[in-house]
Amino acid sequence: MDLRLAGRRALVTGAGKGIGRSTVKALHAAGARVVAVSRTQADLDSLVRECPGTETVCVDLADWEATEQALRGVGPVDLLVNNAAVAFLQPFLEVTKEAYDMSFNVNLRAVIQVSQIVARGLIARGAPGVIVNVSSQASQRGLTNHSVYCSTKGALDILTKVMAVELGPHKIRVNAVNPTVVMTPMGQAAWSDPQKAKAMLDRIPLGRFAGGGFQLRREYSLSVVSPSPCTGHSPAQDPAVEFANFHGDIFPPV
């Protein structure tokens, strides 16, 4: 299967660790020219050693002004993966302003800002494009101590639909993917307690969480980046599929 990524330019946020890092590796292996965005320079340096030729941008996406300055001249981007996210686990009655502000700034506001930058570039070029928002099944379920995180992901799902409606006329498709728990460092911090994890695992047919290498790869979701007209979709992903069953090209022949 040919996803026609060779020579395309992809930008991945939250690229230093977890899903974002695995996604960069997969896109690099598929021949894409990748721009990796992370707030941790050491993670970017090690990523470049693994994926030579990867461009890097070190910026804290919670800082609107710094992000604008860092990405203003990023150049043409064909595929954007909005992956960066934070999770602060607090009981509802103990949610702090700091956790709320940081969560919405990174998990939602940064998606808007980075997508604006990329979409404006695509429109100016008259080029089609793809935006993938990495959401979560937490957008669809209430989870103890996840009130803010669940709220940001629920907001991201509806943002995805609005973006799809408004950007569709410009031939820019916008979809989300909603994985279950992925055992990245962030996932391990939240779900390593066996008692807490059991209730979630009991709802997953394979009885396990997704591995830390969960990534955007050749078997992706048909509804996300195929040449079909599908846009504004938020498919749930369990570890059995690991971003699975993607049968189509991200960029169809012209």
Side-chain angles (χ1 to χ4, degrees):
M1 177 181 53
D2 178 14
L3 293 185
R4 303 183 186 276
L5 281 167
R8 299 286 182 174
R9 199 154 180 264
L11 189 151
V12 181
T13 69
K17 296 181 177 69
I19 295 173
R21 190 180 186 95
S22 295
T23 297
V24 169
K25 292 179 182 179
L27 291 170
H28 180 267
R33 296 178 293 135
V34 185
V35 181
V37 179
S38 172
R39 64 182 177 182
T40 306
Q41 187 62 53
D43 288 341
L44 292 173
D45 292 342
S46 63
L47 183 59
V48 170
R49 289 193 291 271
E50 294 182 44
C51 302
T54 297
E55 303 172 54
T56 64
V57 177
C58 187
V59 66
D60 183 354
L61 295 177
D63 186 328
W64 181 280
E65 289 73 23
T67 299
E68 185 70 29
Q69 183 174 358
L71 296 181
R72 183 186 303 146
V74 72
V77 173
D78 303 298
L79 167 65
L80 168 62
V81 181
N82 284 308
N83 168 73
V86 296
F88 298 95
L89 306 187
Q90 298 174 326
F92 171 73
L93 293 177
E94 299 175 18
V95 169
T96 63
K97 178 181 181 298
E98 291 75 18
Y100 178 93
D101 288 346
M102 178 62 75
S103 297
F104 273 90
N105 286 350
V106 175
N107 298 8
L108 190 70
R109 192 183 72 178
V111 172
I112 293 173
Q113 183 181 19
V114 178
S115 297
Q116 285 177 339
I117 292 170
V118 170
R120 286 169 181 156
L122 286 165
I123 293 168
R125 291 159 51 207
V130 176
I131 297 175
V132 178
N133 296 328
V134 180
S135 184
S136 168
Q137 288 189 29
S139 71
Q140 304 162 10
R141 292 182 178 274
L143 303 173
T144 301
N145 297 338
H146 285 69
S147 56
V148 174
Y149 183 77
C150 289
S151 297
T152 65
K153 293 304 185 177
L156 181 59
D157 281 359
I158 196 63
L159 173 65
T160 298
K161 297 179 185 301
V162 176
M163 290 170 62
V165 169
E166 295 195 17
L167 297 178
H170 301 287
K171 298 183 180 179
I172 301 171
R173 289 184 298 108
V174 187
N175 290 286
V177 289
N178 297 61
T180 185
V181 175
V182 182
M183 295 308 279
T184 62
M186 187 169 76
Q188 291 171 6
W191 295 97
S192 291
D193 180 352
Q195 185 174 357
K196 176 183 177 182
K198 184 178 184 304
M200 179 72 75
L201 289 170
D202 286 346
R203 294 198 295 261
I204 299 174
L206 290 186
R208 64 179 176 85
F209 294 138
F214 200 77
Q215 60 187 252
L216 192 164
R217 60 190 185 188
R218 284 183 175 273
E219 302 92 324
Y220 203 44
S221 175
L222 175 61
S223 58
V224 177
V225 284
S226 75
S228 76
C230 184
T231 189
H233 191 39
S234 303
Q237 301 288 343
D238 281 328
V241 290
E242 302 235 342
F243 274 34
N245 302 326
F246 188 58
H247 305 292
D249 299 334
I250 291 182
F251 297 97
V254 177

